[in-house]
Amino acid sequence: MRNLFAVLALCLGLLFVTNVRADDALHRDLPPGLQIPDAARPGPNFDVDRATDAYLNLLSPEQRAKSDAYYEGGYWLQLWNFLYGLGVAVLLLATGWSRRMREAAQRISHRPWAYTAIYAVFWLLAVSALSFPLSVYTDFYREHQYGLATQDFGAWFLDQLKGLGVGLIIAPLVIMVIYAAVRKAGQRWWVIAGGLGFVFSLFFSMLYPVFISPLFNDYKPLPEGEVRTAVLSLAHANQIPTEHVEWFDASRQTTRISANVSGFAGTTRVNLNDNLMNKTSLPEIKAVMGHEMGHYVLNHALRLTIYSSLVTLIGLWFVNFSFGWAQARWGRRWGVEGLGDPAGLPLVFALFAVFSMVMTPVNNSIVRQAEAEADAFGLNAAREPNGFAMSAMRLSTYRKIHPGHWEEIVFYDHPSGYERVHASMLWLKENQDNPTANAPLPATAPPAK
């Protein structure tokens, strides 16, 4: 208990250290509205590489350096999060906390399904408390440092508590069912658990946008106007069965632009965040929505769930293979009685974290392929290459715009800004009658020096 109080005291200390305002960060956003550099205008001498470079030069050297620093720092954060998570797992096991949590759960109920669920609640609370200092740094302080967050600490902390509340409802049920499979199926538990994981993932991906996202943001119907008309026209043209177009107040949390097409059956809806509407032009909004509709039409939610479930299945096999070795070496000291003992859950997560870390390039490549497909779909559906290039540049204010080949394969789960702008200019070269690209615009801001 004293250790828990120490963690909470450290968190309160971080509250004062991390009181950073978003407006204290260096200016990072590109100006509102569509910009088309002269080199990206159609013509007989149109050059894809020159047009791409002209768009990349919309970022000032300071903006590009800040974007690179933020994104490259994220590589190290992946390592520190991994090591920190391992440290939390070792602490729970080596101190006997995990065993004592299991024993406390068994005192409440002797039924395996019940004490497993109760242990899962204890475990999630302990992990959340121990991981909180790192979360404050990565999700609050660092986001403010780079001008990407807008919440004060109190509002941010309230959202964290909401997320924890959702986890306390869902995670114990999932863990209870998986441990029941372990006890029933023996050494083949990982096959059944993998199948259950697929079902849970698919079900959760359908429910989250409709029932959980509104816990964190207000969703309201998009007012009548050219944006709603354009978005609905794009949806109907691509056979997306909805009349629901909504906007949500993401600006209360972040400066990022985003959108999605979500839901199932009669709940399908198109969602735009207010940053997208307030910071961008209509061609950019259409380009972004074309991309998001591509995910829906191409059924990426199901495909990615299948792929990720297959990777998870291999990971569960790895856990099954390695758990016995770890238990034989340290299990007696930790009080872990076997794979079916929930006290071994920290070990399960530690082993799966090792597997996931090794599989990072594979997981990122699977998602990146789907994102590239949605990019191509969006270009053909919205027919706004300059809008797509400009939106890619806005995203590149916090994503390194031109990584190396292997850097992109290992660390990127989306195509880089360079790849997206280049693809847009390739499309424009073959479609030079594009109305937006040929329309007169206000003078373009001069390239950064």
Side-chain angles (χ1 to χ4, degrees):
M1 185 63 70
R2 284 180 299 179
N3 289 332
L4 180 58
F5 286 147
V7 171
L8 294 176
L10 176 59
C11 295
L12 290 174
L14 282 170
L15 167 59
F16 298 101
V17 174
T18 59
N19 187 23
V20 181
R21 296 182 304 168
D23 56 14
D24 289 333
L26 292 175
H27 180 71
R28 65 176 309 112
D29 284 341
L30 292 169
L34 180 64
Q35 298 182 50
I36 302 180
D38 289 339
R41 290 285 193 174
N45 298 318
F46 183 84
D47 183 273
V48 170
D49 292 330
R50 206 158 56 86
T52 301
D53 289 341
Y55 264 110
L56 267 57
N57 287 334
L58 293 179
L59 286 182
S60 70
E62 292 77 16
Q63 287 173 314
R64 188 160 179 171
K66 196 171 183 67
S67 173
D68 289 356
Y70 175 78
Y71 206 78
E72 290 170 357
Y75 306 160
W76 287 103
L77 278 182
Q78 290 183 47
L79 175 62
W80 301 137
N81 275 290
F82 168 69
L83 295 176
Y84 196 99
L86 290 185
V88 168
V90 170
L91 178 66
L92 292 176
L93 292 167
T95 61
W97 281 11
S98 186
R99 172 181 52 80
R100 287 194 287 272
M101 287 190 296
R102 190 265 327 275
E103 291 170 348
Q106 289 175 325
R107 286 194 292 272
I108 297 172
S109 175
H110 293 294
R111 297 176 183 274
W113 65 267
Y115 72 68
T116 298
I118 296 167
Y119 170 89
V121 171
F122 293 159
W123 169 79
L124 188 57
L125 289 171
V127 169
S128 298
L130 292 170
S131 301
F132 189 63
L134 185 60
S135 295
V136 170
Y137 171 73
T138 58
D139 301 332
F140 181 78
Y141 174 76
R142 189 169 184 266
E143 292 297 292
H144 280 80
Q145 181 185 24
Y146 283 94
L148 294 169
T150 58
Q151 286 180 305
D152 60 25
F153 188 86
W156 175 84
F157 184 61
L158 180 60
D159 276 354
Q160 299 303 302
L161 290 179
K162 290 179 183 177
L164 178 60
V166 172
L168 287 173
I169 295 172
I170 296 174
L173 296 175
V174 174
I175 292 171
M176 177 185 70
V177 171
I178 290 177
Y179 268 88
V182 172
R183 298 185 187 105
K184 286 284 187 181
Q187 288 299 308
R188 296 188 181 276
W189 68 271
W190 56 276
V191 178
I192 297 176
L196 291 171
F198 169 75
V199 173
F200 283 133
S201 295
L202 192 60
F203 191 61
F204 189 68
S205 68
M206 292 189 295
L207 292 183
Y208 187 90
V210 181
F211 299 106
I212 298 177
S213 290
L215 298 175
F216 300 91
N217 294 97
D218 291 330
Y219 286 74
K220 299 177 181 179
L222 189 67
E224 295 292 339
E226 65 173 359
V227 173
R228 178 181 174 84
T229 299
V231 171
L232 272 179
S233 175
L234 193 58
H236 294 160
N238 289 283
Q239 301 182 42
I240 296 176
T242 187
E243 296 294 328
H244 301 292
V245 181
E246 299 186 334
W247 69 275
F248 60 100
D249 56 344
S251 61
R252 64 179 290 269
Q253 294 140 338
T254 181
T255 62
R256 291 176 168 91
I257 61 173
S258 69
N260 61 77
V261 180
S262 60
F264 61 100
T267 67
T268 302
R269 65 194 64 198
V270 178
N271 302 312
L272 301 77
N273 81 4
D274 54 348
N275 292 326
L276 179 65
M277 295 190 300
N278 295 333
K279 294 183 178 182
T280 69
S281 60
L282 183 59
E284 292 172 78
I285 292 173
K286 291 170 66 178
V288 170
M289 296 317 304
H291 167 92
E292 297 301 330
M293 291 177 188
H295 284 309
Y296 185 92
V297 173
L298 298 173
N299 215 9
H300 282 163
L302 175 60
R303 195 181 83 186
L304 290 177
T305 300
I306 292 172
Y307 288 171
S308 64
S309 296
L310 290 173
V311 174
T312 298
L313 183 66
I314 299 172
L316 293 174
W317 171 84
F318 172 78
V319 170
N320 183 64
F321 172 78
S322 55
F323 188 95
W325 172 83
Q327 187 198 10
R329 190 178 181 100
W330 298 293
R332 184 182 300 273
R333 188 187 316 166
W334 293 339
V336 176
E337 298 173 358
L339 193 56
D341 180 4
L345 187 62
L347 177 58
V348 170
F349 268 81
L351 294 172
F352 194 81
V354 172
F355 171 82
S356 297
M357 191 68 173
V358 173
M359 293 295 288
T360 295
V362 175
N363 289 324
N364 284 345
S365 296
I366 289 172
V367 177
R368 192 172 62 252
Q369 181 190 39
E371 294 293 339
E373 290 177 358
D375 286 353
F377 182 98
L379 280 168
N380 285 303
R383 304 186 69 79
E384 293 288 358
N386 294 101
F388 192 77
M390 191 68 205
S391 63
M393 292 305 303
R394 294 189 190 282
L395 297 176
S396 295
T397 59
Y398 54 87
R399 295 177 183 171
K400 185 176 180 180
I401 193 166
H402 200 175
H405 174 71
W406 288 107
E407 183 181 9
E408 186 165 2
I409 288 176
V410 173
F411 293 110
Y412 279 62
D413 60 359
H414 286 65
S416 67
Y418 170 82
E419 292 293 340
R420 286 177 147 173
V421 174
H422 192 261
S424 300
M425 295 301 98
L426 278 173
W427 191 95
L428 179 57
K429 182 180 180 180
E430 303 302 326
N431 297 270
Q432 294 203 34
D433 59 344
N434 182 260
T436 299
N438 287 285
L441 288 177
T444 304
K449 296 181 180 179

